[in-house]
Amino acid sequence: MPGTANPIEFWFDFSSPYGYFMAEKIDALAARYGREVAWHPYLLGAVYKVTGGVPLTGLPMKGEYALHDIVRSARYLGLPFVVPEPFPVATQHAARAFYHLQDTDPALARRFALAVFRAFFVDGLDISSLDTVKQVAESVGAPGDELGAAVSADAIKARLKAECEAALARGIFGSPYVVIDGECFWGVDRLPQIERWLETGGF
């Protein structure tokens, strides 16, 4: 029965195309095995400060391959996708807005998160803009102006910072990053392994 096991953890950055792909798939996959998913947006920029990393698309040679692979992966998964411009972008406004919504309406927060991903990777909107985040919120029934004020509050800034620190403390370093009962899976290409793990209880 749903809710009888620990939630599957889904960590992501809203600027991650692979995070978008996982966001479109993870809930339905988990539900087939009676599991729920806890969504955790965080900031890859916080990770890069620790690891010395840079966005994948900014790496020589690997960046060109990554862009090709991202587009190919979208086709493989049957998902609409455009390469937004600019890309990647800062996502703190969207992440803070998610946690603000989650505190009062988790289902609305989930709809908002998917809408943010689609706004960026389907419609090509600049989700680093607070105005865009407010518009996305309004599109799923959340009050945009109220949300715009909330993301600037010290409490919600501290909440996102705490989520980032929690991720780093646990060694979570990428997007998407899925944790099932302590077992970690990095990348949307691990979806088949995730399904096998849920089906068998581990391997």
Side-chain angles (χ1 to χ4, degrees):
M1 294 291 294
T4 59
N6 293 328
I8 295 168
E9 298 175 57
F10 168 40
W11 294 81
F12 60 90
D13 187 307
F14 280 113
S15 197
S16 163
Y18 297 116
Y20 156 57
F21 301 154
M22 184 67 81
E24 294 283 0
K25 301 293 184 179
I26 189 63
D27 278 350
L29 174 58
R32 290 203 295 273
Y33 297 95
R35 300 292 292 266
E36 297 179 348
V37 182
W39 288 40
H40 294 273
Y42 76 124
L43 305 179
L44 284 178
V47 174
Y48 296 154
K49 289 179 180 178
V50 173
T51 65
V54 297
L56 186 60
T57 53
L59 294 172
M61 294 186 287
K62 185 180 283 189
E64 293 181 9
Y65 170 82
L67 281 174
H68 180 79
D69 180 69
I70 290 164
V71 175
R72 180 179 61 200
S73 295
R75 294 198 307 269
Y76 174 73
L77 293 167
L79 295 171
F81 179 80
V82 299
V83 178
E85 181 62 40
F87 168 68
V89 297
T91 59
Q92 67 269 20
H93 292 317
R96 291 173 189 162
F98 173 90
Y99 286 117
H100 172 73
L101 293 173
Q102 188 186 55
D103 286 343
T104 55
D105 191 336
L108 178 59
R110 188 80 49 94
R111 293 196 302 273
F112 168 76
L114 278 172
V116 170
F117 272 128
R118 293 167 183 168
F120 192 41
F121 290 115
V122 179
D123 300 325
L125 301 179
D126 180 6
I127 61 168
S128 68
S129 163
L130 181 56
D131 285 340
T132 299
V133 170
K134 289 164 59 177
Q135 291 168 9
V136 172
E138 290 169 352
S139 76
V140 296
D145 288 338
E146 176 186 314
L147 202 65
V151 300
S152 299
D154 289 342
I156 208 68
K157 289 180 179 180
R159 171 73 179 278
L160 177 57
K161 182 179 180 182
E163 291 282 346
C164 293
E165 290 173 347
L168 289 169
R170 295 174 57 192
I172 293 171
F173 58 83
S175 173
Y177 201 96
V178 174
V179 184
I180 305 173
D181 302 325
E183 188 73 17
C184 302
F185 300 87
W186 172 40
V188 73
D189 55 335
R190 291 297 181 263
L191 270 169
Q193 288 193 26
I194 290 170
E195 181 158 19
R196 178 71 64 82
W197 194 270
L198 291 171
E199 179 183 15
T200 63
F203 50 82

